[in-house]
Amino acid sequence: MPDKWILKRLQALFTFALLVFVISIVLWSGSTDTDFESSSTFSNATTQDFYWVDVEPTHELIWHQCYAPLQRECARLLVPLNHLNQSSDNPSHAAIAIIRKPSPYGPSHPRYRGPILLNPGGPGGSGVGLVYELGDLLSEALGPEFDIVSFDPRGVGFSTPKVDFFGGVLNGEREFWGSLAFGVIRGGPNEKFPEVEGEKGKSVEATWAHALVRNKLALENAGEWLGNVNTEQTAYDMLSIVKAHGREKLMYWGFSYGTVLGSTFAALFPDKVERLVLDGVVDAENYYATLWSNNLLDTPKTLNRFFEMCHTAGPSSCAFWAPSPSLISANLTRIYKDIITNPIPVRTPTSYGVLDYNHVRTGIFRALYAPWATWSRLAQALANLGGPDRDATLMWNLTGLPTFRCTSCSIPCGNKDRREVEFGATLEDGLTAIACSDGLDIPADLASAKKYFDDLSQKSEWAETWANIGLSCTGWPKVKKGFQGPVEGKTSHPILFIGNTADPVTPLAHARTMSKRFPGSRVLTQLSPGHCSASGPSICTQAIIRKYFLSGQLPPEGVKCPVISSPFSDPPPHDSIERTKAAAVADGDEAVFGLSSEDEDVSEQKMRDAVDKLSRAWKPFNKAFL
């Protein structure tokens, strides 16, 4: 009897550990617990008190308490599998997993203003994960009048049907094959270190061949769903979510790819826009052409801001400090060359591997997305790596994944936790399916792939990390395409576009380009590095967003919002933040456009705390291809 009890306890602990491991890998598309200060406990909550497999999909929104002790509610909404072909002959449905942080007021309260729907990017990022982890901070920033709502797009996460190229989450094939898929592509015409002998990385030829094989698997294992996993169908899903809330028009805040989704919604349903904030703006025309060719315009500027802000912070605050920004840059170049010729074997308590140029270069690129969440520790990791001991541990923790161990065979097939893992894994398959199904078909021959990489390399030295996205669509199955533009229109309420001055993958120019396609819209500029406004703490920006959702008021033309701290500094004390620090700057003159004295629900101190915490917990949600 004691032996059986011990065996059952070990099996339960093993099941829990596996679930934590798998979801921690796939939920955030590659981030680890050491990646960000706010590490996710999403998987822990899943095993303890709530199972999506227990939630019956319904045509109405039926909310279930979920993820205790957090105040979250979850539902699965039935929608047509193909919104454009609904008939008794085509009764198939998708089930969209939806989560909300409800307003404390409730629908009957006079101050209640309804749901704000969010999309974290991707394509295919988990909205369930976003609101699970950051729902409280988003609620504090936007105010208690609103429900904070998001969802897993069809094909991804807890929504079904799920796109699956490999026939199961836990069989190990995806992990093995996926480890060969992405990373730095070396040997292009703009190779950064052609003179340095050593680690050569991936070739464009291998990347091309890998994509062809995987996309054949996509057709074999997920072909029947691929024509219905796209941005157009997801826009219709959002309208279904709005109507299920008993409302006619959408209030929405979309980040990165979420701006493609939001602008597509606006083009399809211009009379259904109540409020639309598009933050970290993607050029939708470039996206639908499957080009991914103009995203890197400001990437060098972002890295230069790292050098400049590190230097300004001083040696006591930035561990990678040097007497000038150019010397900091030179020290990083020295690390690159050193790691190419001498990769470092690493063994930590939780993983092992080899820290090479691929890890370092990709890790730095990822860190550019979220300066306040990562730059201080990135500086320490680079200082350790560039020191005489070449200590690679912190850099490995910042950039590496837990070592995969195939343990699925030990879990009984009927085990509920196993089914939850298989049900809820946010697979890169779904992300690829959306991006490739949305875009124009691209040539499948090797010569075209090499030309694409060469052209992108001429535009940016970061093509070695970014070209994977476009190349991943090589040989994509022929599926019926959804809406591909034009993405433009006159909306029932003007759109608010937001761009940072040094965004690594969605340059400010895209916000201006997209704004021109939607008459009456306005562009807000945030004076900070990082991807999307939430990556930097700006009371000014968040006050404008809140005011826009409450009253529809747009900021004046040319407004530029500062941030309240540096990525290398502690949060500023409350009494040091004067209202002028949150002032908007238009045409060179300061014009206060922050919280008003009549705002009863959100004080400037509460707003300051919310934006600071949000920036330090922000994740690069659309890094699935890195």
Side-chain angles (χ1 to χ4, degrees):
M1 187 73 173
D3 290 341
K4 290 183 178 179
W5 181 86
I6 292 173
L7 184 60
K8 289 182 178 180
R9 292 290 293 170
L10 287 174
Q11 185 182 56
L13 289 171
F14 184 80
T15 300
F16 176 80
L18 175 66
L19 188 63
V20 171
F21 172 76
V22 173
I23 294 184
S24 69
I25 292 177
V26 295
L27 180 63
W28 295 114
S29 302
S31 58
T32 67
D33 284 348
T34 50
D35 246 343
F36 300 94
E37 291 176 11
S38 177
S39 58
S40 175
T41 55
F42 183 75
S43 53
N44 302 49
T46 301
T47 59
Q48 290 173 2
D49 64 359
F50 174 71
Y51 290 87
W52 280 98
V53 293
D54 290 338
V55 179
E56 186 72 22
T58 55
H59 290 281
E60 301 78 30
L61 277 178
I62 299 177
W63 295 105
H64 302 257
Q65 296 295 323
C66 54
Y67 304 122
L70 297 177
Q71 295 178 341
R72 302 290 186 270
E73 295 175 346
C74 297
R76 293 177 68 202
L77 182 67
L78 279 175
V79 299
L81 183 62
N82 185 347
H83 288 274
L84 304 178
N85 183 21
Q86 301 181 57
S87 68
S88 58
D89 297 330
N90 183 34
S92 300
H93 290 85
I96 307 302
I98 307 173
I99 186 172
R100 73 176 179 180
K101 159 77 174 172
S103 164
Y105 290 134
S108 61
H109 196 283
R111 297 192 68 85
Y112 177 73
R113 300 301 298 274
I116 296 176
L117 194 62
L118 297 100
N119 180 275
S126 172
V128 170
L130 172 70
V131 172
Y132 167 80
E133 186 164 351
L134 300 183
D136 293 338
L137 292 176
L138 290 164
S139 180
E140 289 175 18
L142 289 167
E145 298 93 342
F146 304 100
D147 296 325
I148 307 303
V149 183
S150 194
F151 63 101
D152 283 354
R154 54 174 57 206
V156 175
F158 294 106
S159 291
T160 57
K162 185 178 305 302
V163 175
D164 183 354
F165 301 166
F166 295 91
V169 177
L170 301 178
N171 62 13
E173 289 183 43
R174 178 175 291 99
E175 286 73 14
F176 173 76
W177 188 250
S179 68
L180 307 175
F182 299 113
V184 171
I185 300 173
R186 305 288 300 281
N190 199 26
E191 169 67 45
K192 190 173 179 61
F193 303 111
E195 78 285 359
V196 180
E197 293 293 328
E199 184 268 323
K200 298 300 183 183
K202 280 196 319 175
S203 67
V204 67
E205 291 86 355
T207 305
W208 166 82
H210 187 282
L212 286 175
V213 173
R214 191 183 64 167
N215 291 340
K216 287 181 179 179
L217 295 176
L219 180 61
E220 293 171 8
N221 295 316
E224 63 180 307
W225 309 119
L226 296 181
N228 295 311
V229 179
N230 56 45
T231 296
E232 180 183 33
Q233 294 289 343
T234 301
Y236 275 91
D237 292 342
M238 292 204 301
L239 185 59
S240 297
I241 293 170
V242 169
K243 291 180 177 179
H245 276 89
R247 307 180 74 87
E248 290 299 316
K249 295 187 177 183
L250 172 70
M251 292 197 292
Y252 175 80
W253 187 2
F255 304 96
S256 194
Y257 159 81
T259 68
V260 176
L261 178 58
S263 59
T264 298
F265 182 96
L268 291 171
F269 314 111
D271 60 335
K272 299 297 184 182
V273 173
E274 183 173 351
R275 307 283 187 269
L276 213 61
V277 176
L278 303 183
D279 190 343
V281 183
V282 176
D283 179 351
E285 182 178 324
N286 189 273
Y287 169 82
Y288 279 118
T290 327
L291 290 176
W292 300 84
S293 60
N294 61 2
N295 304 83
L296 305 175
L297 299 177
D298 287 347
T299 316
K301 186 186 298 184
T302 316
L303 184 58
N304 285 336
R305 291 296 290 146
F306 172 80
F307 300 145
E308 294 162 1
M309 297 176 93
C310 175
H311 176 258
T312 300
S316 61
S317 297
C318 180
F320 201 52
W321 182 88
S324 70
S326 61
L327 286 175
I328 299 175
S329 175
N331 287 337
L332 178 56
T333 297
R334 177 177 57 82
I335 288 175
Y336 282 148
K337 292 180 177 180
D338 187 42
I339 205 71
I340 290 172
T341 56
N342 296 290
I344 304 173
V346 177
R347 178 68 168 111
T348 74
T350 58
S351 67
Y352 56 85
V354 176
L355 187 76
D356 55 14
Y357 177 78
N358 174 63
H359 279 83
V360 175
R361 185 73 165 164
T362 304
I364 290 172
F365 186 54
R366 287 171 54 185
L368 298 180
Y369 284 57
W372 275 259
T374 63
W375 279 10
S376 181
R377 283 174 297 123
L378 173 65
Q380 186 64 64
L382 291 172
N384 294 354
L385 188 60
D389 296 332
R390 300 184 78 222
D391 184 351
T393 304
L394 182 54
M395 179 60 74
W396 177 261
N397 288 338
L398 284 169
T399 62
L401 288 172
T403 303
F404 173 73
R405 294 178 175 84
C406 187
T407 52
S408 59
C409 298
S410 301
I411 300 180
C413 292
N415 185 284
K416 195 172 185 179
D417 288 329
R418 177 192 175 111
R419 288 192 292 121
E420 188 79 355
V421 171
E422 293 179 335
F423 182 66
T426 303
L427 307 178
E428 289 184 4
D429 304 2
L431 314 188
T432 304
I434 295 169
C436 300
S437 296
D438 273 346
L440 296 175
D441 292 332
I442 63 174
D445 59 287
L446 177 58
S448 296
K450 293 176 73 172
K451 184 179 185 304
Y452 173 79
F453 181 65
D454 290 354
D455 291 346
L456 192 58
S457 296
Q458 296 293 343
K459 295 176 182 178
S460 174
E461 68 178 45
W462 291 97
E464 60 184 14
T465 62
W466 193 251
N468 290 298
I469 304 176
L471 292 174
S472 71
C473 295
T474 303
W476 185 249
K478 301 292 185 182
V479 298
K480 184 179 179 180
K481 297 294 183 181
F483 174 85
Q484 293 179 315
V487 183
E488 59 189 24
K490 177 67 174 178
T491 54
S492 53
H493 192 84
I495 300 171
L496 176 60
F497 291 93
I498 304 176
N500 291 358
T501 49
D503 188 309
V505 291
T506 53
L508 178 59
H510 289 183
R512 296 169 180 152
T513 296
M514 292 299 296
S515 178
K516 292 176 182 177
R517 299 172 186 167
F518 290 92
S521 63
R522 192 65 48 82
V523 175
L524 169 64
T525 300
Q526 181 166 298
L527 304 171
S528 69
H531 185 39
C532 305
S533 69
S535 68
S538 174
I539 297 175
C540 165
T541 296
Q542 195 55 50
I544 288 173
I545 293 172
R546 172 167 165 74
K547 186 171 292 186
Y548 173 77
F549 276 118
L550 282 172
S551 68
Q553 182 179 354
L554 290 168
E557 290 279 3
V559 166
K560 300 176 182 178
C561 278
V563 289
I564 61 174
S565 65
S566 161
F568 297 101
S569 66
D570 294 328
H574 294 157
D575 57 8
S576 72
I577 305 175
E578 303 172 1
R579 191 170 292 273
T580 54
K581 290 288 286 183
V585 181
D587 299 324
D589 298 321
E590 288 192 357
V592 174
F593 197 87
L595 295 170
S596 66
S597 58
E598 291 80 22
D599 198 320
E600 301 177 15
D601 290 293
V602 179
S603 67
E604 187 169 299
Q605 178 174 320
K606 182 181 288 187
M607 181 75 77
R608 170 249 176 237
D609 288 341
V611 299
D612 179 74
K613 291 176 182 177
L614 188 60
S615 68
R616 295 174 191 275
W618 192 247
K619 297 173 183 290
F621 293 102
N622 72 340
K623 64 182 177 57
F625 290 99
L626 302 184

